[in-house]
Structure formats: structure tokens, C-alpha cells
Amino acid sequence: ILNVEQSPQSLHVQEGDSTNFTCSFPSSNFYALHWYRWETAKSPEALFVMTLNGDEKKKGRISATLNTKEGYSYLYIKGSQPEDSATYLCASGYSTLTFGKGTMLLVSP
Amino acid sequence: GAVVSQHPSWVICKSGTSVKIECRSLDFQATTMFWYRQFPKQSLMLMATSNEGSKATYEQGVEKDKFLINHASLTLSTLTVTSAHPEDSSFYICSANSGPGLAGLETQYFGPGTRLLVL
């Protein structure tokens, strides 16, 4: 059974704070790690897909790292803004994905 | 690009009725579509994978006669919850896969989901 865990479950920060959260996954039979951003009442939006150990991806103020040997990925948001408020999901897999429960981020002005 | 629509966004029905949910890829052809279900405070759980023109592959514990999936074209998949009961009340969300991109990676593009309440 493939379990994907995310922490923390929720996070409340002030505008301008930098933050990060964790996704852990079984390192055996790893193929790819996906990060999604999911705003309320909208579709989950794909942020990153990573496969290589040590990989780092960046999209604006958001970046992610990947450690496939120990089975974790970090998502970083630099200088959080209220519009970053969303649930951030990670998922492991190739075409069939196993999702974590997500980290709900709230950024207050 | 890569927009997936889902209809309806919410539905309330009486116990025993059937409910059909549509998932459409609007600007790309989806080789594969996926149906997920999410209960409160839980993760998205894959129910089934469907490929155009073939029978869906259901995950363990998902009743194929209860959750009928039809993937008649490369842009449309439907999920029908037959004889719905209160325990079927949940959030149902679909995704579509446009096929391998760079380095063979496949990204799933999600619809906005359908909230089903069975009374």
C-alpha cells in the first residue's frame, strides 16, 4: 500500500511570511511526485511534477525540492500573499496517483 | 490550456435515484480520465480509470455496477451513481490526462468537482 502523508494539516501565516510544508511518500517503486494547488470552488492546479532525486523546481515565489532516497518533498512559498491561500496537495505515482490529505494554507493580510 | 469542466457542480437527490456526472476536456483530447471521491478531511481516493472506448478499471472496493463509467469520446467521460444512497454523499472529481509530455511525465488536469448529497 502506497501512503502519502502531508504536514502540517493546516497553516496560518501573515502576509510576507515565508512558509514551507512537507510531503512524505514511500521511496520504493517511486516514479514521480506531483504538487497541486487547490483553491476553494476551483479545480486543482498542477504546480510541479518531479522525478529526479535532488530536483528543485520553481514557479514565481513557489519552489519545491525532492528527495527520493528518503521519500520526502518540500514546498516553499516565499513572501506569502493572501492569494496563496489554498490547499496544497501532493501525489505520488505515474499515471495513477496517490494523494496526501493536503496542507491548508491561510495567509492573512 | 488544459481545461477540464465538470457538470453539475452540485446535486441533491432522493435516495434510490441515479445521478450522472459529466467530465469534459475542453481544449485537449484526453487519452485517460480518472474519477476520484473525497470524503471530509480525507484525501482524494481514486475510484476508477477509464480509457476512451474501453471498459473502466475500478479500484479495489469500488462497485462497478454502482458507479457506471462511460468514456465514449476523447473529450467526455461520465460517472453515473446508480440507486444512490446517503452513504454515497461525497465530493466527486474527475481528471484527464493528455498523455506523456516532457520526459514521459503525465500531468492530470482536474475538473472543479461535483458535490453530491443524497437525502
Side-chain angles (χ1 to χ4, degrees):
Chain A
I1 297 176
L2 188 65
N3 290 321
V4 177
E5 303 288 342
Q6 289 187 251
S7 64
Q9 184 176 349
S10 63
L11 196 53
H12 184 189
V13 302
Q14 295 298 121
E15 182 176 358
D17 289 348
S18 292
T19 186
N20 67 85
F21 19 93
T22 306
C23 173
S24 61
F25 52 88
S27 54
S28 60
N29 298 319
F30 171 81
Y31 190 88
L33 193 284
H34 305 246
W35 280 101
Y36 286 86
R37 179 173 175 274
W38 193 2
E39 288 184 73
T40 302
K42 294 186 178 180
S43 303
E45 172 197 356
L47 288 175
F48 307 113
V49 182
M50 298 186 288
T51 59
L52 300 176
N53 184 47
D55 202 4
E56 181 171 348
K57 297 250 174 138
K58 189 174 182 181
K59 188 176 183 178
R61 294 179 291 98
I62 304 176
S63 61
T65 61
L66 179 66
N67 183 321
T68 61
K69 294 183 178 180
E70 296 181 42
Y72 64 84
S73 174
Y74 293 138
L75 188 79
Y76 300 91
I77 302 179
K78 184 178 179 182
S80 303
Q81 299 296 309
E83 56 265 31
D84 295 329
S85 298
T87 296
Y88 292 82
L89 300 176
C90 71
S92 183
Y94 172 51
S95 60
T96 301
L97 301 182
T98 300
F99 282 85
K101 293 182 181 180
T103 292
M104 187 184 303
L105 174 67
L106 176 62
V107 183
S108 296
Chain B
V3 178
V4 176
S5 70
Q6 197 171 331
H7 178 80
S9 56
W10 58 270
V11 60
I12 301 173
C13 68
K14 292 183 179 179
S15 184
T17 59
S18 293
V19 175
K20 180 186 282 188
I21 302 169
E22 291 188 351
C23 178
R24 293 180 185 272
S25 57
L26 299 184
D27 50 2
F28 66 100
Q29 291 187 326
T31 53
T32 306
M33 286 186 167
F34 304 85
W35 287 95
Y36 294 84
R37 179 169 52 183
Q38 185 184 38
F39 291 107
K41 298 188 185 298
Q42 300 299 310
S43 59
L44 294 177
M45 294 298 292
L46 181 65
M47 298 175 67
T49 303
S50 72
N51 292 291
E52 183 262 340
S54 62
K55 290 184 179 180
T57 301
Y58 290 81
E59 295 299 301
Q60 190 173 6
V62 179
E63 300 174 57
K64 62 180 181 180
D65 295 330
K66 172 77 171 176
F67 300 99
L68 300 179
I69 292 173
N70 184 283
H71 193 159
S73 76
L74 284 172
T75 59
L76 173 64
S77 176
T78 61
L79 168 68
T80 301
V81 183
T82 61
S83 186
H85 290 284
E87 58 266 29
D88 298 322
S89 298
S90 188
F91 183 76
Y92 294 86
I93 189 168
C94 70
S95 69
N97 189 328
S98 63
L102 291 174
L105 298 175
E106 301 188 355
T107 296
Q108 290 187 25
Y109 299 97
F110 282 84
T114 297
R115 192 161 298 282
L116 170 64
L117 177 60
V118 184
L119 302 177

